[in-house]
């Protein structure tokens, strides 16, 4: 084995302390996300008459996520997760950049949803996410457009939920 291989191999594995810290931080973030979901769902009705209301699903997911996240945090704090041969190595710089960029795309799309509308925002976001996942441009564009059209039609027609149409409103008024 060459010296470069040994160096690359030693840099691509977790240190026990780094692995423990990563688990604690990940679990704490998951607890915070679950708590935020539960707090945000309080603005909606849990039940409407005798049927589940708009808060029903977020509360169920939030409670399950909170319970699992707390269990993960407790086990991480107790040091129950150990690095072994089956542990996946930490992500490299390129993977971290793509993950942060993906988070940025999802966050930006949440803010762009109202002015641009659901179909356009989702088409752009899915195309960019496909490219970040190392997809090709000729696959990213039809994937984004297809996902946007199919999900928009399913949600608006099957579920009867109105989604923002944004700048495409004049084109979609006659179709909906």
């Amino acid at each position: 084995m060459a010296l470069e291989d040994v160096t690359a191999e030693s840099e691509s594995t977790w240190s026990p302390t780094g692995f423990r810290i990563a688990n604690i931080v990940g679990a704490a973030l998951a607890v915070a996300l679950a708590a935020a979901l539960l707090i945000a769902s309080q603005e909606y009705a849990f039940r409407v008459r005798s049927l589940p209301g708009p808060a029903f699903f977020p509360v169920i997911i939030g409670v399950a996520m909170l319970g699992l996240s707390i269990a993960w945090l407790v086990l991480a704090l107790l040091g129950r997760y150990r690095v072994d041969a089956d542990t996946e190595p930490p992500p490299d710089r390129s993977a971290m950049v793509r993950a942060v960029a993906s988070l940025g795309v999802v966050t930006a799309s949440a803010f762009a949803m109202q002015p641009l509308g659901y179909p356009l925002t989702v088409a752009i976001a899915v195309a960019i996410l496909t490219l970040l996942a190392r997809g090709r441009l000729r696959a990213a564009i039809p994937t984004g457009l297809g996902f946007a059209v199919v999900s928009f039609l399913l949600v608006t027609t099957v579920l009867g939920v109105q989604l923002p149409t944004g700048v495409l409103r004049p084109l979609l008024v006659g179709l909906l």
Side-chain angles (χ1 to χ4, degrees), residues 16-30:
T17 304
F19 191 68
R20 184 168 189 257
I21 290 171
N23 271 287
I24 291 170
V25 169
L29 289 173

Side-chain angles (χ1 to χ4, degrees), residues 19-172:
F19 191 68
R20 184 168 189 257
I21 290 171
N23 271 287
I24 291 170
V25 169
L29 289 173
V31 168
L33 182 62
L37 178 62
L38 287 171
I39 290 168
S41 68
Q42 298 303 307
E43 296 180 21
Y44 303 102
F46 188 74
R47 296 183 71 70
V48 176
R49 296 187 193 103
S50 63
L51 298 172
F56 183 77
F57 185 70
V59 167
I60 297 231
I61 296 300
V63 167
M65 185 175 173
L66 185 63
L68 292 170
S69 300
I70 289 172
W72 179 20
L73 182 59
V74 168
L75 292 174
L77 289 170
L78 294 174
R80 298 292 172 102
Y81 300 111
R82 305 258 186 242
V83 179
D84 59 15
D86 293 332
T87 304
E88 188 173 322
D92 60 0
R93 183 179 304 264
S94 171
M96 289 299 291
V97 167
R98 288 192 320 273
V100 170
S102 297
L103 182 61
V105 168
V106 171
T107 303
S109 66
F111 289 102
M113 191 74 66
Q114 198 63 37
L116 292 181
Y118 178 87
L120 189 56
T121 302
V122 168
I124 292 168
V126 169
I128 293 171
L129 291 171
T130 303
L131 292 172
L132 287 171
R134 297 192 172 161
R136 294 187 174 153
L137 185 61
R138 67 176 187 228
I141 292 171
T143 301
L145 290 172
F147 185 84
V149 169
V150 170
S151 62
F152 181 79
L153 291 174
L154 282 174
V155 169
T156 56
T157 58
V158 175
L159 298 177
V161 174
Q162 187 175 0
L163 294 172
T165 53
V167 296
L168 297 178
R169 184 176 212 37
L171 299 172
L172 298 174

